[in-house]
Amino acid sequence: MDSNVLSSEKIIDIRFSEVDSMGIVWHGSYVQYFEDAREAFGKKYQLEYLRIFENGFFAPLVELHFNYKKPLQYQRQARVVATYRPCDSAKIIFDYQIFDLATGELAATGHSVQVFVDLDKKLVLQSPDFYEVWKKKWLKR
């Protein structure tokens, strides 16, 4: 396994509130699944949203992309994998895969991009010091 690959996963119980009248996961629910996977990643690798905030920054999403492969259904479970994509820019990029837990089939892929803004909500063009320290700790280059 590549020591530079940082990933985590989250098992999701598909709830009634996340599906349409056909019992298929509504496309907007995938946003929450990606968010849940990012949160699990943050806990595992100490890059939680509160830690970012405590260091004087926000990390809003500026790009979110999905590729739907196979529908997920009500009362099933999904496994969401979030993989950190290293980059030199002041960004946090994740790639995602969502699998039907029962069949192992790939249901969706995607990626997200977050940038840093300071507490005055001004875009930060250079990686914050705490983020550079985080990358040195976790990434083996």
Side-chain angles (χ1 to χ4, degrees), residues 16-112:
F16 181 76
S17 63
E18 298 165 345
V19 300
D20 61 20
S21 61
M22 298 180 292
I24 304 292
V25 171
W26 174 66
H27 66 275
S29 296
Y30 289 82
V31 175
Q32 185 64 52
Y33 299 163
F34 284 9
E35 179 74 24
D36 290 344
R38 281 195 307 278
E39 189 173 27
F41 181 94
K43 286 180 184 176
K44 181 177 180 179
Y45 293 104
Q46 299 151 7
L47 192 62
E48 302 97 331
Y49 291 127
L50 284 178
R51 186 176 305 258
I52 294 170
F53 178 74
E54 288 166 357
N55 279 280
F57 299 93
F58 297 109
L61 283 170
V62 294
E63 183 177 329
L64 189 58
H65 182 80
F66 298 89
N67 286 310
Y68 302 100
K69 308 289 185 187
K70 181 182 183 308
L72 293 170
Q73 298 176 9
Y74 177 51
Q75 293 186 315
R76 309 263 311 246
Q77 289 182 309
R79 180 171 61 94
V80 186
V81 179
T83 302
Y84 176 80
R85 188 191 312 170
C87 74
D88 293 328
S89 302
K91 296 178 182 178
I92 304 172
I93 303 174
F94 287 102
D95 294 309
Y96 306 93
Q97 293 178 302
I98 300 179
F99 298 91
D100 183 310
L101 192 61
T103 66
E105 294 178 287
L106 183 64
T109 61
H111 72 267
S112 65

